[in-house]
Amino acid sequence: MAPERGVFANIQMNRLDIAAWQALFDDAAGGSKPAGASASTAGAADEALAYLPTTLAVRAQQLAVGGRTLHNVVLGASRDGMLWRGNIDSTELSGYAEYRSAQAGRLYARLARLKIAPTEATAVESLLDEQPGTLPALDIVVDDFELLGRRLGRAEIDAVNRGGAGREWRLNKLAFTTPEAVFTAQGTWAAVSGEQRRTAMDFRLDIADAGGLLNRFGKKDLVRRGRGRLEGQVQWSGSPFALDYPSLAGQLQIDIGSGQFLKAEPGIAKLLGVLSLQALPRRLTLDFRDVFSQGFAFDFLRGDAKIAQGVASTNNLQMKGVNAAVLMDGSADIARETQDLRVVVVPEINAGTAALVATAINPAIGLGTFLAQMVLSKPLIAAATQEFHIDGSWTDPKITKVPRRLLPEALRTPDAPIVR
């Protein structure tokens, strides 16, 4: 006599690991029914599937699932064929979810909260160790999302698994919304050659309060106010949730207005400590000290950068303040946290000088060509301009004042004077 088929399962225990249950379900629902399976094989799979419960109630102090452990779990779920539906409440998450086990699977969830703690970072990344073709399709909205200790506000993710020879996981939408900013992105994760996997992403960050956004990420008192955008296209080797700096490539555009770099130690601010120019006053004349000593207030900060193998380079980063314009070119190694930058400070000789200088430079011209043109056409401004070289680490930048040249290097004769 065949055993009675299960309909309802009520589980109460201190700890429950559902890996074995998942394996049983996958074997019964999907693994036993490959494409082109015979009628007898498919019938055996249907028979095995029928013994899985159609209604499930779980109460557990710990529930191990997908490499994570949830605590104080209350779960109610029902099954319709290969589709599970359920409501779950635990310390880490709360809301409604659906999961369909077919091909790579599909997860639909509407959650009030979801918390992924820093201690679970390795477990989260391990979920992406397999090929892109193994990831399920996702349709998830979380009202309150916390990732690795950072509160990211409302989160939305829409992704599909295209499978096939390309083994591509396409990210149709990734969005995070906080009072300070809105981040949106689209991209792909695919096996591009052999076992190599690569992520490509287009993104845009619309910023309402740059200072508040940095505060949210633990970088307090670096910037006050600031509105604008940061956008670009980036790619790297590995999964979408494990940014690999040495292989990072792409391009960025930044345009931020009406802000101020605050007085902070470069060791805290890292590269922002360099941009805030607080280390420059000891190399400047006293006339400039009031411009930079408390942090540079800017009308705008903008420019373009290209990234190759984790090194970002620019030839037109520019800031305009009340009393000066600041222009930069050079590079920053994101992985090693070092830089090699040229910083040019152009004072406000007369009304409009700083604005004229800051708006004249662009990627096509670059800082070098612009300085050569300025020396020839605006010698008074050029004579008052000061140049610095910044290298070394972000935490301990080395700043060297560069002697001023009345003519650019390409146009100088051996007897042309150098002004120090």
Side-chain angles (χ1 to χ4, degrees):
M1 178 180 296
E4 183 179 354
R5 298 183 178 186
V7 176
F8 176 76
N10 188 350
I11 302 171
Q12 299 188 44
M13 57 194 311
N14 289 336
R15 179 177 176 83
L16 174 64
D17 191 329
I18 67 168
W21 287 65
Q22 182 65 44
L24 174 63
F25 180 71
D26 287 344
D27 288 343
S32 300
K33 300 173 68 174
S38 65
S40 60
T41 301
D46 290 337
E47 181 71 14
L49 183 64
Y51 284 96
L52 292 176
T54 55
T55 304
L56 183 66
V58 175
R59 183 183 295 271
Q61 293 182 3
Q62 294 184 353
L63 176 66
V65 54
R68 299 189 62 202
T69 298
L70 305 179
H71 299 82
N72 304 314
V73 178
V74 177
L75 168 66
S78 63
R79 180 180 64 83
D80 181 6
M82 292 183 291
L83 175 64
W84 282 97
R85 300 185 179 94
N87 290 283
I88 184 171
D89 183 74
S90 69
T91 303
E92 292 80 10
L93 65 89
S94 177
Y96 172 80
E98 298 179 359
Y99 178 71
R100 179 180 295 277
S101 178
Q103 297 178 343
R106 178 181 183 272
L107 176 63
Y108 169 94
R110 296 296 182 265
L111 305 178
R113 67 176 185 277
L114 174 60
K115 177 180 180 180
I116 300 177
T119 55
E120 297 178 318
T122 302
V124 172
E125 292 180 6
S126 69
L127 296 177
L128 303 175
D129 284 343
E130 302 298 328
Q131 291 290 345
T134 64
L135 276 184
L138 300 177
D139 182 356
I140 300 174
V141 177
V142 183
D143 291 332
D144 184 6
F145 182 49
E146 182 177 330
L147 176 64
L148 310 183
R150 305 300 183 194
R151 301 288 294 273
L152 301 181
R154 178 180 172 87
E156 301 173 69
I157 179 170
D158 177 12
V160 295
N161 196 315
R162 301 178 68 90
R167 303 191 303 277
E168 179 184 87
W169 193 67
R170 179 175 294 276
L171 186 62
N172 294 323
K173 180 180 182 181
L174 176 65
F176 300 103
T177 303
T178 69
E180 301 85 12
V182 176
F183 175 86
T184 55
Q186 308 82 38
T188 58
W189 182 39
V192 294
S193 61
E195 297 300 313
Q196 182 182 6
R197 292 158 288 172
R198 192 162 187 85
T199 296
M201 187 175 296
D202 295 348
F203 74 92
R204 178 178 176 117
L205 180 65
D206 291 293
I207 303 170
D209 182 353
L213 182 63
L214 289 172
N215 287 348
R216 178 178 290 273
F217 283 88
K219 307 298 183 182
K220 295 185 177 181
D221 302 323
L222 298 183
V223 175
R224 179 181 293 123
R225 304 184 311 276
R227 299 177 60 90
R229 60 179 174 81
L230 172 65
E231 60 183 330
Q233 304 81 41
V234 291
Q235 53 184 303
W236 63 89
S237 298
S239 78
F241 303 110
L243 183 60
D244 181 62
Y245 290 129
S247 64
L248 185 64
Q251 56 185 6
L252 307 173
Q253 302 84 41
I254 185 171
D255 189 350
I256 307 293
S258 302
Q260 181 181 12
F261 290 104
L262 302 179
K263 189 172 184 178
E265 292 300 323
I268 299 174
K270 291 193 173 180
L271 189 55
L272 285 181
V274 175
L275 294 181
S276 69
L277 308 176
Q278 292 158 27
L280 293 185
R282 65 175 179 266
R283 301 292 198 276
L284 292 167
T285 64
L286 293 177
D287 292 339
F288 289 91
R289 187 172 295 275
D290 62 337
V291 177
F292 301 109
S293 61
Q294 296 303 317
F296 187 75
F298 56 88
D299 295 330
F300 61 74
L301 163 62
R302 64 192 181 200
D304 305 88
K306 294 182 179 179
I307 306 175
Q309 296 181 327
V311 178
S313 59
T314 180
N315 71 346
N316 71 330
L317 188 63
Q318 54 200 279
M319 296 186 289
K320 176 196 171 296
V322 175
N323 297 319
V326 180
L327 312 176
M328 295 188 190
D329 68 3
S331 63
D333 191 317
I334 303 172
R336 295 181 176 87
E337 297 189 352
T338 61
Q339 72 270 311
D340 184 4
L341 299 170
R342 170 170 50 171
V343 178
V344 177
V345 181
V346 183
E348 185 82 322
I349 299 298
N350 49 50
T353 298
L356 175 65
V357 169
T359 55
I361 184 174
N362 60 65
I365 295 177
L367 179 54
T369 302
F370 170 77
L371 291 177
Q373 295 176 350
M374 184 178 71
V375 168
L376 296 175
S377 61
K378 299 178 178 63
L380 180 61
I381 297 177
T385 295
Q386 300 205 41
E387 181 178 337
F388 303 87
H389 178 236
I390 303 178
D391 61 357
S393 69
W394 293 0
T395 56
D396 185 24
K398 305 298 189 296
I399 302 172
T400 305
K401 184 176 180 180
V402 178
R404 293 199 308 264
R405 295 173 173 83
L406 294 183
L407 289 175
E409 189 68 28
L411 300 178
R412 291 187 69 239
T413 60
D415 58 346
I418 295 178
V419 180
R420 298 184 183 275

PDB file of all heavy atoms in Angstrom, residues 106-122:
ATOM      1  N   ARG A 106      12.451  31.603  -9.882  1.00  0.00           N
ATOM      2  CA  ARG A 106      12.038  33.007  -9.843  1.00  0.00           C
ATOM      3  C   ARG A 106      11.577  33.339  -8.435  1.00  0.00           C
ATOM      4  O   ARG A 106      10.785  32.604  -7.843  1.00  0.00           O
ATOM      5  CB  ARG A 106      10.905  33.285 -10.836  1.00  0.00           C
ATOM      6  CG  ARG A 106      10.396  34.728 -10.808  1.00  0.00           C
ATOM      7  CD  ARG A 106       9.260  34.910 -11.804  1.00  0.00           C
ATOM      8  NE  ARG A 106       8.792  36.299 -11.843  1.00  0.00           N
ATOM      9  CZ  ARG A 106       7.850  36.794 -11.045  1.00  0.00           C
ATOM     10  NH1 ARG A 106       7.262  35.993 -10.140  1.00  0.00           N
ATOM     11  NH2 ARG A 106       7.475  38.051 -11.129  1.00  0.00           N
ATOM     12  N   LEU A 107      12.090  34.450  -7.917  1.00  0.00           N
ATOM     13  CA  LEU A 107      11.726  34.904  -6.578  1.00  0.00           C
ATOM     14  C   LEU A 107      11.028  36.253  -6.676  1.00  0.00           C
ATOM     15  O   LEU A 107      11.578  37.205  -7.245  1.00  0.00           O
ATOM     16  CB  LEU A 107      12.968  35.023  -5.696  1.00  0.00           C
ATOM     17  CG  LEU A 107      12.739  35.594  -4.286  1.00  0.00           C
ATOM     18  CD1 LEU A 107      11.827  34.676  -3.474  1.00  0.00           C
ATOM     19  CD2 LEU A 107      14.072  35.792  -3.565  1.00  0.00           C
ATOM     20  N   TYR A 108       9.818  36.324  -6.128  1.00  0.00           N
ATOM     21  CA  TYR A 108       9.038  37.558  -6.057  1.00  0.00           C
ATOM     22  C   TYR A 108       8.856  37.883  -4.581  1.00  0.00           C
ATOM     23  O   TYR A 108       8.464  37.005  -3.790  1.00  0.00           O
ATOM     24  CB  TYR A 108       7.688  37.369  -6.739  1.00  0.00           C
ATOM     25  CG  TYR A 108       6.694  38.494  -6.509  1.00  0.00           C
ATOM     26  CD1 TYR A 108       6.573  39.544  -7.421  1.00  0.00           C
ATOM     27  CD2 TYR A 108       5.863  38.502  -5.384  1.00  0.00           C
ATOM     28  CE1 TYR A 108       5.653  40.562  -7.224  1.00  0.00           C
ATOM     29  CE2 TYR A 108       4.948  39.524  -5.186  1.00  0.00           C
ATOM     30  CZ  TYR A 108       4.844  40.543  -6.090  1.00  0.00           C
ATOM     31  OH  TYR A 108       3.945  41.566  -5.894  1.00  0.00           O
ATOM     32  N   ALA A 109       9.148  39.129  -4.171  1.00  0.00           N
ATOM     33  CA  ALA A 109       9.019  39.474  -2.756  1.00  0.00           C
ATOM     34  C   ALA A 109       8.643  40.936  -2.598  1.00  0.00           C
ATOM     35  O   ALA A 109       9.117  41.805  -3.341  1.00  0.00           O
ATOM     36  CB  ALA A 109      10.324  39.186  -2.011  1.00  0.00           C
ATOM     37  N   ARG A 110       7.777  41.174  -1.616  1.00  0.00           N
ATOM     38  CA  ARG A 110       7.432  42.524  -1.180  1.00  0.00           C
ATOM     39  C   ARG A 110       7.633  42.551   0.338  1.00  0.00           C
ATOM     40  O   ARG A 110       6.856  41.978   1.087  1.00  0.00           O
ATOM     41  CB  ARG A 110       5.991  42.887  -1.557  1.00  0.00           C
ATOM     42  CG  ARG A 110       5.738  42.949  -3.049  1.00  0.00           C
ATOM     43  CD  ARG A 110       6.550  44.072  -3.694  1.00  0.00           C
ATOM     44  NE  ARG A 110       6.307  44.206  -5.133  1.00  0.00           N
ATOM     45  CZ  ARG A 110       7.055  43.640  -6.057  1.00  0.00           C
ATOM     46  NH1 ARG A 110       8.086  42.878  -5.702  1.00  0.00           N
ATOM     47  NH2 ARG A 110       6.799  43.814  -7.337  1.00  0.00           N
ATOM     48  N   LEU A 111       8.723  43.203   0.757  1.00  0.00           N
ATOM     49  CA  LEU A 111       9.144  43.133   2.143  1.00  0.00           C
ATOM     50  C   LEU A 111       9.075  44.504   2.804  1.00  0.00           C
ATOM     51  O   LEU A 111       9.400  45.532   2.196  1.00  0.00           O
ATOM     52  CB  LEU A 111      10.586  42.611   2.235  1.00  0.00           C
ATOM     53  CG  LEU A 111      10.868  41.266   1.560  1.00  0.00           C
ATOM     54  CD1 LEU A 111      12.348  40.926   1.698  1.00  0.00           C
ATOM     55  CD2 LEU A 111       9.993  40.167   2.145  1.00  0.00           C
ATOM     56  N   ALA A 112       8.668  44.507   4.061  1.00  0.00           N
ATOM     57  CA  ALA A 112       8.695  45.736   4.847  1.00  0.00           C
ATOM     58  C   ALA A 112      10.123  46.073   5.252  1.00  0.00           C
ATOM     59  O   ALA A 112      10.510  47.243   5.297  1.00  0.00           O
ATOM     60  CB  ALA A 112       7.813  45.596   6.078  1.00  0.00           C
ATOM     61  N   ARG A 113      10.918  45.031   5.534  1.00  0.00           N
ATOM     62  CA  ARG A 113      12.318  45.268   5.909  1.00  0.00           C
ATOM     63  C   ARG A 113      13.160  44.064   5.519  1.00  0.00           C
ATOM     64  O   ARG A 113      12.669  42.943   5.432  1.00  0.00           O
ATOM     65  CB  ARG A 113      12.455  45.538   7.411  1.00  0.00           C
ATOM     66  CG  ARG A 113      12.139  44.330   8.288  1.00  0.00           C
ATOM     67  CD  ARG A 113      12.366  44.606   9.762  1.00  0.00           C
ATOM     68  NE  ARG A 113      12.179  43.412  10.563  1.00  0.00           N
ATOM     69  CZ  ARG A 113      11.029  42.949  11.001  1.00  0.00           C
ATOM     70  NH1 ARG A 113       9.916  43.614  10.717  1.00  0.00           N
ATOM     71  NH2 ARG A 113      10.970  41.836  11.715  1.00  0.00           N
ATOM     72  N   LEU A 114      14.446  44.328   5.284  1.00  0.00           N
ATOM     73  CA  LEU A 114      15.418  43.280   5.006  1.00  0.00           C
ATOM     74  C   LEU A 114      16.765  43.773   5.487  1.00  0.00           C
ATOM     75  O   LEU A 114      17.217  44.866   5.124  1.00  0.00           O
ATOM     76  CB  LEU A 114      15.490  42.970   3.505  1.00  0.00           C
ATOM     77  CG  LEU A 114      16.585  41.994   3.069  1.00  0.00           C
ATOM     78  CD1 LEU A 114      16.414  40.644   3.748  1.00  0.00           C
ATOM     79  CD2 LEU A 114      16.600  41.847   1.547  1.00  0.00           C
ATOM     80  N   LYS A 115      17.424  42.963   6.302  1.00  0.00           N
ATOM     81  CA  LYS A 115      18.714  43.331   6.879  1.00  0.00           C
ATOM     82  C   LYS A 115      19.730  42.252   6.564  1.00  0.00           C
ATOM     83  O   LYS A 115      19.528  41.086   6.889  1.00  0.00           O
ATOM     84  CB  LYS A 115      18.589  43.508   8.396  1.00  0.00           C
ATOM     85  CG  LYS A 115      19.899  43.824   9.097  1.00  0.00           C
ATOM     86  CD  LYS A 115      19.680  43.987  10.600  1.00  0.00           C
ATOM     87  CE  LYS A 115      20.986  44.296  11.323  1.00  0.00           C
ATOM     88  NZ  LYS A 115      20.785  44.448  12.786  1.00  0.00           N
ATOM     89  N   ILE A 116      20.824  42.646   5.902  1.00  0.00           N
ATOM     90  CA  ILE A 116      21.952  41.756   5.650  1.00  0.00           C
ATOM     91  C   ILE A 116      23.131  42.311   6.435  1.00  0.00           C
ATOM     92  O   ILE A 116      23.700  43.343   6.081  1.00  0.00           O
ATOM     93  CB  ILE A 116      22.276  41.659   4.155  1.00  0.00           C
ATOM     94  CG1 ILE A 116      21.063  41.124   3.394  1.00  0.00           C
ATOM     95  CG2 ILE A 116      23.482  40.757   3.916  1.00  0.00           C
ATOM     96  CD1 ILE A 116      21.255  41.066   1.892  1.00  0.00           C
ATOM     97  N   ALA A 117      23.489  41.662   7.509  1.00  0.00           N
ATOM     98  CA  ALA A 117      24.495  42.165   8.435  1.00  0.00           C
ATOM     99  C   ALA A 117      25.900  42.027   7.863  1.00  0.00           C
ATOM    100  O   ALA A 117      26.141  41.203   6.972  1.00  0.00           O
ATOM    101  CB  ALA A 117      24.401  41.420   9.768  1.00  0.00           C
ATOM    102  N   PRO A 118      26.859  42.820   8.374  1.00  0.00           N
ATOM    103  CA  PRO A 118      28.251  42.694   7.903  1.00  0.00           C
ATOM    104  C   PRO A 118      28.807  41.293   8.072  1.00  0.00           C
ATOM    105  O   PRO A 118      29.608  40.839   7.251  1.00  0.00           O
ATOM    106  CB  PRO A 118      29.001  43.709   8.785  1.00  0.00           C
ATOM    107  CG  PRO A 118      27.972  44.713   9.181  1.00  0.00           C
ATOM    108  CD  PRO A 118      26.688  43.939   9.313  1.00  0.00           C
ATOM    109  N   THR A 119      28.402  40.592   9.113  1.00  0.00           N
ATOM    110  CA  THR A 119      28.910  39.238   9.332  1.00  0.00           C
ATOM    111  C   THR A 119      28.417  38.261   8.287  1.00  0.00           C
ATOM    112  O   THR A 119      28.950  37.149   8.174  1.00  0.00           O
ATOM    113  CB  THR A 119      28.482  38.747  10.726  1.00  0.00           C
ATOM    114  OG1 THR A 119      27.050  38.845  10.838  1.00  0.00           O
ATOM    115  CG2 THR A 119      29.119  39.576  11.823  1.00  0.00           C
ATOM    116  N   GLU A 120      27.402  38.650   7.500  1.00  0.00           N
ATOM    117  CA  GLU A 120      26.856  37.764   6.480  1.00  0.00           C
ATOM    118  C   GLU A 120      27.374  38.088   5.088  1.00  0.00           C
ATOM    119  O   GLU A 120      26.906  37.537   4.104  1.00  0.00           O
ATOM    120  CB  GLU A 120      25.330  37.847   6.486  1.00  0.00           C
ATOM    121  CG  GLU A 120      24.710  37.364   7.793  1.00  0.00           C
ATOM    122  CD  GLU A 120      23.201  37.515   7.777  1.00  0.00           C
ATOM    123  OE1 GLU A 120      22.719  38.549   7.297  1.00  0.00           O
ATOM    124  OE2 GLU A 120      22.529  36.599   8.252  1.00  0.00           O
ATOM    125  N   ALA A 121      28.344  39.017   5.005  1.00  0.00           N
ATOM    126  CA  ALA A 121      28.846  39.435   3.696  1.00  0.00           C
ATOM    127  C   ALA A 121      29.395  38.259   2.905  1.00  0.00           C
ATOM    128  O   ALA A 121      29.128  38.102   1.713  1.00  0.00           O
ATOM    129  CB  ALA A 121      29.926  40.500   3.867  1.00  0.00           C
ATOM    130  N   THR A 122      30.160  37.405   3.565  1.00  0.00           N
ATOM    131  CA  THR A 122      30.737  36.250   2.874  1.00  0.00           C
ATOM    132  C   THR A 122      29.653  35.310   2.376  1.00  0.00           C
ATOM    133  O   THR A 122      29.720  34.792   1.252  1.00  0.00           O
ATOM    134  CB  THR A 122      31.699  35.494   3.802  1.00  0.00           C
ATOM    135  OG1 THR A 122      32.727  36.387   4.236  1.00  0.00           O
ATOM    136  CG2 THR A 122      32.326  34.314   3.068  1.00  0.00           C
TER     137      THR A 122
END
